């Protein structure tokens, strides 16, 4: 499979808009008093935080693929996690938690590790597959 692994994605703008929509959804879920998503076991909330931020890092790491861009992506995801916690602190009945921030950090770094696998080329693979389908 001939998948582009460096440079700017052809649909960069669309991927950024979709990523922004995903972040708006995460923000809405984080600030909704009862979003209706819970894992009813000990530390289930922390697993949701880590999974969400792993996915965000994976998304943005697919969009921004250079080493420097990925470093900024890590910082951006971590800043987003801090923003969410600060917003929850200001928005009762939600509350801020340092443990939530730690779970976000773990998720970002797991996502960063996963970007060392073929998962780093998911969006490029979609572009390649669609391009091949159109060429037929």
């Amino acid at each position: 499979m001939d998948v582009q692994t460096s440079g700017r994605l052809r649909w960069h703008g669309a991927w950024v808009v979709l990523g922004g929509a995903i972040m708006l959804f995460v923000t809405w879920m984080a600030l909704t008093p009862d979003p209706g998503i819970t894992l009813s076991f000990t530390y289930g909330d922390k697993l949701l935080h880590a999974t969400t931020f792993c996915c965000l890092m994976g998304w943005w790491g697919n969009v921004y693929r250079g080493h420097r861009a990925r470093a900024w992506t890590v910082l951006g995801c971590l800043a987003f996690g801090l923003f969410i916690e600060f917003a929850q602190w200001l928005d009762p009945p939600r509350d801020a938690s340092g443990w939530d921030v730690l779970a976000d950090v773990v998720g970002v770094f797991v996502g960063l590790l996963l970007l060392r696998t073929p998962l780093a080329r998911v969006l490029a693979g979609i572009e390649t597959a669609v391009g091949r389908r159109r060429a037929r």
Side-chain angles (χ1 to χ4, degrees), residues 28-60:
W28 177 78
M29 291 293 290
L31 299 180
T32 299
D34 182 15
I37 295 179
T38 58
L39 297 178
S40 55
F41 55 84
T42 305
Y43 305 115
D45 174 60
K46 304 311 170 245
L47 181 59
L48 284 174
H49 274 264
T51 302
T52 298
F53 279 82
C54 178
C55 292
L56 286 172
M57 185 62 218
W59 180 270
W60 293 112

Side-chain angles (χ1 to χ4, degrees), residues 1-16 59 62-63 65 121-135:
M1 180 173 2
D2 181 31
V3 176
Q4 176 188 3
T5 58
S6 63
R8 189 175 174 112
L9 296 169
R10 285 180 298 193
W11 305 337
H12 177 83
W15 298 128
V16 169
W59 180 270
N62 264 261
V63 173
R65 298 175 297 162
R121 297 183 298 275
V122 170
L123 298 182
I126 291 169
E127 289 183 353
T128 299
V130 170
R132 283 189 181 148
R133 179 163 270 165
R134 286 183 181 169

Side-chain angles (χ1 to χ4, degrees), residues 35-103:
I37 295 179
T38 58
L39 297 178
S40 55
F41 55 84
T42 305
Y43 305 115
D45 174 60
K46 304 311 170 245
L47 181 59
L48 284 174
H49 274 264
T51 302
T52 298
F53 279 82
C54 178
C55 292
L56 286 172
M57 185 62 218
W59 180 270
W60 293 112
N62 264 261
V63 173
Y64 297 103
R65 298 175 297 162
H67 292 295
R68 183 171 297 182
R70 288 241 174 103
W72 283 107
T73 300
V74 167
L75 293 175
C77 286
L78 295 175
F80 181 62
L82 289 171
F83 163 76
I84 293 282
E85 291 306 310
F86 182 72
Q88 286 180 337
W89 177 65
L90 295 174
D91 185 33
R94 301 306 296 253
D95 60 344
S97 165
W99 294 111
D100 287 350
V101 173
L102 180 61

